[in-house]
Amino acid sequence: MRGCLPFAGVCAAALVLLFLGSRLSLLPGFGSLFEEETTDRSGPAVLKSIQDMSAYEAASGNFQVVVDLEKDAKYLPDAIRGTRTLYVGAGTVGSSVDLGKVGSDGVTVNEDRTTAEIVLPHAVLGKPALDPDRSYAVSKQRGILDRLGDFFSDNPGSEQAVNKLAVKHIGEAAEESGLTKRAEKNTASMLQGLLGSLGFEKVTVRYAEPSG
């Protein structure tokens, strides 16, 4: 019991400080005591590697998902232990065709160079890219123990879990959106226009059947 008293005192003091900080900031003359000042001391970005890209990104989709994530303790009420976050995640997914995978047998040209046939690999989806400027938390509900944990944590109120869920759901939506079909259509139009400007009268673009 003696060991628990100091810890209980620290928790009580932390709650009092949180309460006073929220209240005094509303009073004239006291708000400046609790104002936050942000200073960016980040170092310069360092180039790690450069990769040559052969993929043609032919389509991109914008997606938005509302994530409702709730975590509960099995034997404790939500007011004591539990979190619920309502989060709006917005991001983009690109779809590309890797032209670098077209082999020598993937392009057929007739003798007078008026017709051409090109066989391409099917388009694939890129990784979802979450846009931090368009993503935001609508509401956060936390129990007392979770608030205390955030107070003593180096990373309070982490949104990593909802970010991962948003990326997961956006990726699933992209798979059902027909984005790869649009990318394949756009790639074919691009190649037909390019070769048409070079004098080809007929350009056929088709996509290889999946192996296996």
Side-chain angles (χ1 to χ4, degrees):
M1 290 297 294
R2 291 181 179 178
C4 294
L5 289 177
F7 177 76
V10 172
C11 292
L15 289 174
V16 170
L17 287 175
L18 288 175
F19 177 79
L20 288 177
S22 61
R23 294 298 181 183
L24 290 177
S25 61
L26 300 177
L27 298 177
F30 286 95
S32 59
L33 294 176
F34 296 93
E35 287 183 355
E36 293 183 351
E37 182 178 350
T38 303
T39 303
D40 185 3
R41 294 191 176 91
S42 306
V46 178
L47 176 64
K48 291 295 186 179
S49 63
I50 295 178
Q51 294 178 330
D52 293 330
M53 307 298 293
S54 60
Y56 173 66
E57 186 166 320
S60 179
N62 292 304
F63 299 87
Q64 187 178 78
V65 61
V66 177
V67 177
D68 189 350
L69 179 62
E70 183 175 5
K71 295 183 179 181
D72 296 320
K74 190 173 183 180
Y75 299 108
L76 292 175
D78 293 344
I80 302 298
R81 181 65 186 271
T83 62
R84 183 175 181 181
T85 304
L86 193 63
Y87 181 81
V88 175
T92 58
V93 180
S95 182
S96 61
V97 176
D98 193 348
L99 302 179
K101 291 184 178 180
V102 180
S104 57
D105 57 344
V107 180
T108 303
V109 179
N110 66 344
E111 292 184 358
D112 55 1
R113 298 181 61 83
T114 57
T115 64
E117 182 182 70
I118 304 173
V119 181
L120 302 176
H122 282 281
V124 296
L125 293 173
K127 294 182 179 180
L130 207 61
D131 186 350
D133 293 331
R134 296 190 295 125
S135 303
Y136 56 93
V138 177
S139 65
K140 294 181 182 179
Q141 300 174 6
R142 293 173 293 167
I144 295 176
L145 295 180
D146 297 280
R147 291 178 181 272
L148 285 174
D150 286 346
F151 182 79
F152 292 104
S153 173
D154 292 334
N155 187 23
S158 173
E159 296 181 348
Q160 184 177 9
V162 289
N163 284 342
K164 286 184 176 181
L165 273 179
V167 168
K168 176 178 178 291
H169 291 315
I170 288 175
E172 293 171 348
E175 291 176 358
E176 301 175 359
S177 66
L179 197 58
T180 54
K181 295 295 183 183
R182 174 69 67 88
E184 291 177 359
K185 180 180 179 181
N186 292 344
T187 302
S189 298
M190 181 273 294
L191 291 175
Q192 289 168 344
L194 177 63
L195 294 180
S197 65
L198 297 177
F200 286 87
E201 299 174 0
K202 181 181 179 181
V203 178
T204 303
V205 179
R206 61 184 181 88
Y207 290 87
E209 295 296 328
S211 58

